Short mmCIF file of all heavy atoms in Angstrom, two decimals:
data_model
loop_
_atom_site.label_atom_id
_atom_site.label_comp_id
_atom_site.label_asym_id
_atom_site.label_seq_id
_atom_site.Cartn_x
_atom_site.Cartn_y
_atom_site.Cartn_z
N PRO A 1 11.20 25.66 22.02
CA PRO A 1 10.47 25.94 23.22
C PRO A 1 9.95 24.83 23.94
O PRO A 1 9.87 24.83 25.20
CB PRO A 1 9.36 26.91 22.71
CG PRO A 1 9.93 27.59 21.40
CD PRO A 1 10.75 26.40 20.89
N GLU A 2 9.34 23.77 23.18
CA GLU A 2 8.92 22.62 24.05
C GLU A 2 10.02 21.89 24.62
O GLU A 2 9.85 21.37 25.86
CB GLU A 2 8.30 21.70 22.96
CG GLU A 2 7.03 22.28 22.31
CD GLU A 2 6.25 21.27 21.34
OE1 GLU A 2 6.88 20.27 21.26
OE2 GLU A 2 5.31 21.76 20.77
N GLU A 3 11.25 21.76 24.04
CA GLU A 3 12.42 21.20 24.73
C GLU A 3 12.87 22.03 25.97
O GLU A 3 13.28 21.48 26.98
CB GLU A 3 13.52 20.95 23.82
CG GLU A 3 13.23 19.96 22.69
CD GLU A 3 14.44 19.69 21.93
OE1 GLU A 3 15.51 20.23 22.19
OE2 GLU A 3 14.29 19.07 20.82
N VAL A 4 12.74 23.31 25.84
CA VAL A 4 13.07 24.12 27.03
C VAL A 4 12.12 23.94 28.11
O VAL A 4 12.72 23.81 29.29
CB VAL A 4 13.09 25.72 26.50
CG1 VAL A 4 13.24 26.63 27.65
CG2 VAL A 4 14.16 25.90 25.64
N GLU A 5 10.93 23.77 27.97
CA GLU A 5 9.97 23.58 29.04
C GLU A 5 10.21 22.08 29.54
O GLU A 5 10.05 22.00 30.91
CB GLU A 5 8.49 23.60 28.42
CG GLU A 5 7.37 23.55 29.45
CD GLU A 5 7.48 24.61 30.42
OE1 GLU A 5 7.97 25.84 30.06
OE2 GLU A 5 7.21 24.47 31.56
N THR A 6 10.55 21.16 28.86
CA THR A 6 10.88 19.81 29.38
C THR A 6 12.12 19.86 30.27
O THR A 6 12.17 19.31 31.27
CB THR A 6 11.10 18.83 28.31
OG1 THR A 6 9.95 18.78 27.39
CG2 THR A 6 11.38 17.37 28.79
N HIS A 7 13.21 20.51 29.68
CA HIS A 7 14.40 20.62 30.61
C HIS A 7 14.20 21.48 31.86
O HIS A 7 14.86 21.13 32.88
CB HIS A 7 15.51 21.21 29.63
CG HIS A 7 16.10 20.25 28.72
ND1 HIS A 7 15.63 19.84 27.56
CD2 HIS A 7 17.17 19.49 28.88
CE1 HIS A 7 16.37 18.95 26.96
NE2 HIS A 7 17.38 18.65 27.79
N ARG A 8 13.37 22.45 31.85
CA ARG A 8 12.96 23.21 32.89
C ARG A 8 12.35 22.34 34.05
O ARG A 8 12.72 22.45 35.16
CB ARG A 8 12.04 24.37 32.62
CG ARG A 8 11.71 25.25 33.74
CD ARG A 8 10.83 26.42 33.48
NE ARG A 8 11.43 27.36 32.50
CZ ARG A 8 10.97 27.66 31.30
NH1 ARG A 8 9.99 26.88 30.78
NH2 ARG A 8 11.56 28.51 30.53
N GLN A 9 11.50 21.48 33.62
CA GLN A 9 10.89 20.54 34.56
C GLN A 9 11.97 19.53 35.12
O GLN A 9 11.91 19.31 36.21
CB GLN A 9 9.74 19.86 33.92
CG GLN A 9 8.85 18.90 34.90
CD GLN A 9 8.21 19.71 35.95
OE1 GLN A 9 7.63 20.80 35.69
NE2 GLN A 9 8.30 19.31 37.30
N TRP A 10 12.79 19.11 34.23
CA TRP A 10 13.69 18.05 34.66
C TRP A 10 14.75 18.80 35.56
O TRP A 10 15.03 18.03 36.60
CB TRP A 10 14.49 17.49 33.36
CG TRP A 10 15.61 16.57 33.71
CD1 TRP A 10 15.55 15.24 33.81
CD2 TRP A 10 16.99 16.99 33.96
NE1 TRP A 10 16.65 14.79 34.26
CE2 TRP A 10 17.66 15.70 34.35
CE3 TRP A 10 17.59 18.17 34.05
CZ2 TRP A 10 19.00 15.70 34.61
CZ3 TRP A 10 19.08 18.17 34.37
CH2 TRP A 10 19.57 16.85 34.67
N LEU A 11 15.10 19.88 35.36
CA LEU A 11 16.09 20.60 36.25
C LEU A 11 15.44 20.83 37.65
O LEU A 11 16.18 20.63 38.66
CB LEU A 11 16.60 21.95 35.63
CG LEU A 11 17.63 22.73 36.45
CD1 LEU A 11 18.82 21.88 36.64
CD2 LEU A 11 17.81 24.03 35.80
N ALA A 12 14.21 21.17 37.68
CA ALA A 12 13.43 21.35 39.00
C ALA A 12 13.40 19.98 39.74
O ALA A 12 13.62 19.99 40.93
CB ALA A 12 12.03 21.82 38.73
N ASN A 13 13.15 18.94 39.07
CA ASN A 13 13.13 17.57 39.84
C ASN A 13 14.62 17.13 40.16
O ASN A 13 14.63 16.60 41.29
CB ASN A 13 12.58 16.55 38.86
CG ASN A 13 11.06 16.81 38.41
OD1 ASN A 13 10.36 17.47 39.22
ND2 ASN A 13 10.74 16.31 37.29
N TYR A 14 15.51 17.46 39.40
CA TYR A 14 16.86 17.07 39.78
C TYR A 14 17.49 17.92 40.89
O TYR A 14 18.17 17.33 41.79
CB TYR A 14 17.76 17.20 38.51
CG TYR A 14 19.25 16.97 38.64
CD1 TYR A 14 19.66 15.61 38.75
CD2 TYR A 14 20.19 17.88 38.88
CE1 TYR A 14 20.86 15.28 38.87
CE2 TYR A 14 21.62 17.44 39.13
CZ TYR A 14 21.86 16.23 39.11
OH TYR A 14 23.27 15.88 39.30
N THR A 15 17.11 19.21 40.94
CA THR A 15 17.64 20.06 41.98
C THR A 15 16.85 19.90 43.16
O THR A 15 17.35 20.24 44.39
CB THR A 15 17.70 21.50 41.45
OG1 THR A 15 18.31 21.46 40.16
CG2 THR A 15 18.50 22.39 42.40
N GLY A 16 15.49 19.71 43.12
CA GLY A 16 14.75 19.48 44.31
C GLY A 16 13.82 20.68 44.67
O GLY A 16 13.67 20.96 45.77
N TYR A 17 13.34 21.36 43.76
CA TYR A 17 12.42 22.38 43.97
C TYR A 17 11.17 22.36 43.04
O TYR A 17 11.23 21.58 42.14
CB TYR A 17 13.06 23.74 43.88
CG TYR A 17 13.53 24.13 42.44
CD1 TYR A 17 12.65 24.63 41.38
CD2 TYR A 17 14.76 23.89 42.01
CE1 TYR A 17 13.06 25.04 40.21
CE2 TYR A 17 15.30 24.05 40.76
CZ TYR A 17 14.39 24.67 39.77
OH TYR A 17 14.93 24.91 38.56
N LYS A 18 10.07 23.02 43.41
CA LYS A 18 8.87 22.93 42.73
C LYS A 18 8.78 24.22 41.81
O LYS A 18 8.93 25.27 42.30
CB LYS A 18 7.77 22.80 43.59
CG LYS A 18 6.37 22.69 42.89
CD LYS A 18 5.27 22.43 43.94
CE LYS A 18 3.90 22.34 43.20
NZ LYS A 18 2.73 22.28 44.14
N LEU A 19 8.55 23.90 40.57
CA LEU A 19 8.26 25.00 39.59
C LEU A 19 7.05 25.74 39.84
O LEU A 19 6.04 25.30 40.26
CB LEU A 19 8.26 24.51 38.18
CG LEU A 19 9.52 24.22 37.50
CD1 LEU A 19 9.32 23.73 36.07
CD2 LEU A 19 10.40 25.42 37.37
N PRO A 20 7.10 27.11 39.73
CA PRO A 20 5.87 27.90 40.04
C PRO A 20 4.84 27.60 38.77
O PRO A 20 5.16 26.86 37.79
CB PRO A 20 6.28 29.37 39.72
CG PRO A 20 7.69 29.37 40.02
CD PRO A 20 8.34 27.96 39.50
N SER A 21 3.69 27.98 39.05
CA SER A 21 2.56 27.64 38.00
C SER A 21 2.89 28.34 36.71
O SER A 21 3.63 29.28 36.52
CB SER A 21 1.21 28.20 38.60
OG SER A 21 1.19 29.59 38.77
N LYS A 22 2.10 27.88 35.68
CA LYS A 22 2.41 28.39 34.28
C LYS A 22 1.84 29.73 34.15
O LYS A 22 2.25 30.46 33.27
CB LYS A 22 1.59 27.47 33.32
CG LYS A 22 2.28 26.07 33.11
CD LYS A 22 1.54 25.32 32.10
CE LYS A 22 2.17 23.93 31.86
NZ LYS A 22 1.52 23.09 30.75
N ASP A 23 1.04 30.22 35.04
CA ASP A 23 0.56 31.48 35.05
C ASP A 23 1.67 32.52 35.27
O ASP A 23 1.64 33.72 34.73
CB ASP A 23 -0.62 31.81 36.01
CG ASP A 23 -1.71 31.04 35.79
OD1 ASP A 23 -1.98 30.57 34.61
OD2 ASP A 23 -2.59 30.80 36.69
N THR A 24 2.77 32.15 35.97
CA THR A 24 3.85 33.05 36.25
C THR A 24 4.66 33.28 35.01
O THR A 24 5.18 34.39 34.73
CB THR A 24 4.77 32.24 37.22
OG1 THR A 24 4.08 31.94 38.33
CG2 THR A 24 5.89 33.24 37.54
N TYR A 25 4.61 32.30 33.95
CA TYR A 25 5.39 32.56 32.70
C TYR A 25 4.60 33.19 31.71
O TYR A 25 4.99 33.41 30.56
CB TYR A 25 5.89 31.18 32.32
CG TYR A 25 6.77 30.59 33.27
CD1 TYR A 25 6.41 29.39 33.99
CD2 TYR A 25 8.14 31.03 33.34
CE1 TYR A 25 7.29 28.90 34.93
CE2 TYR A 25 9.03 30.35 34.22
CZ TYR A 25 8.58 29.36 35.03
OH TYR A 25 9.39 28.69 35.96
N GLU A 26 3.31 33.35 31.97
CA GLU A 26 2.44 34.00 30.87
C GLU A 26 2.12 35.39 31.08
O GLU A 26 1.27 36.13 30.45
CB GLU A 26 1.09 33.24 30.94
CG GLU A 26 1.11 31.71 30.40
CD GLU A 26 -0.20 31.04 30.47
OE1 GLU A 26 -1.16 31.60 30.93
OE2 GLU A 26 -0.19 29.91 30.14
N THR A 27 2.88 36.10 31.99
CA THR A 27 2.76 37.46 32.24
C THR A 27 3.40 38.28 31.09
O THR A 27 4.13 37.57 30.31
CB THR A 27 3.44 37.99 33.50
OG1 THR A 27 4.77 37.54 33.46
CG2 THR A 27 2.83 37.11 34.81
N GLU A 28 3.09 39.56 31.00
CA GLU A 28 3.65 40.36 29.86
C GLU A 28 5.16 40.42 29.91
O GLU A 28 5.88 40.36 28.92
CB GLU A 28 3.06 41.77 30.00
CG GLU A 28 3.43 42.72 28.81
CD GLU A 28 2.81 44.10 28.97
OE1 GLU A 28 1.99 44.25 29.90
OE2 GLU A 28 3.17 44.92 28.02
N LEU A 29 5.70 40.53 31.04
CA LEU A 29 7.18 40.52 31.30
C LEU A 29 7.85 39.21 30.71
O LEU A 29 8.72 39.38 29.89
CB LEU A 29 7.53 40.72 32.66
CG LEU A 29 9.11 40.71 33.09
CD1 LEU A 29 9.84 41.85 32.30
CD2 LEU A 29 9.29 40.74 34.58
N MET A 30 7.30 38.05 31.13
CA MET A 30 7.92 36.78 30.62
C MET A 30 7.68 36.61 29.13
O MET A 30 8.45 35.82 28.64
CB MET A 30 7.37 35.72 31.53
CG MET A 30 7.74 35.87 33.00
SD MET A 30 9.51 36.04 33.21
CE MET A 30 9.62 36.43 35.05
N GLN A 31 6.67 37.18 28.50
CA GLN A 31 6.37 36.96 27.19
C GLN A 31 7.18 37.86 26.25
O GLN A 31 7.21 37.58 25.02
CB GLN A 31 4.85 37.17 26.87
CG GLN A 31 4.00 36.17 27.54
CD GLN A 31 4.17 34.78 27.13
OE1 GLN A 31 4.51 34.52 26.01
NE2 GLN A 31 3.98 33.78 28.03
N MET A 32 7.95 38.83 26.72
CA MET A 32 8.70 39.67 25.91
C MET A 32 9.89 38.97 25.37
O MET A 32 10.63 38.19 26.11
CB MET A 32 9.19 40.90 26.79
CG MET A 32 8.07 41.83 27.19
SD MET A 32 8.76 43.39 28.17
CE MET A 32 9.63 44.14 26.85
N LYS A 33 10.04 39.09 24.09
CA LYS A 33 11.14 38.31 23.36
C LYS A 33 11.63 39.04 22.16
O LYS A 33 10.82 39.72 21.57
CB LYS A 33 10.57 36.90 22.96
CG LYS A 33 11.59 36.00 22.39
CD LYS A 33 10.95 34.60 22.10
CE LYS A 33 12.00 33.68 21.42
NZ LYS A 33 11.26 32.44 21.01
#
């Protein structure tokens, strides 16, 4: 999971968009696994 978060940030910088805040990924929907 830590590598996934690192690559998520790298892909945002490479593509040219800004990642949403971390609160977006802490919702109940995003935590389902």
Side-chain angles (χ1 to χ4, degrees):
E2 296 182 358
E3 293 185 7
V4 172
E5 188 63 32
T6 302
H7 282 80
R8 183 183 289 117
Q9 186 64 48
W10 178 88
L11 184 60
N13 297 335
Y14 180 80
T15 312
Y17 63 88
K18 184 179 179 180
L19 278 177
S21 61
K22 291 185 178 180
D23 298 337
T24 306
Y25 301 104
E26 293 179 357
T27 59
E28 182 179 358
L29 173 63
M30 298 302 171
Q31 294 296 326
M32 295 182 66
K33 185 180 179 181

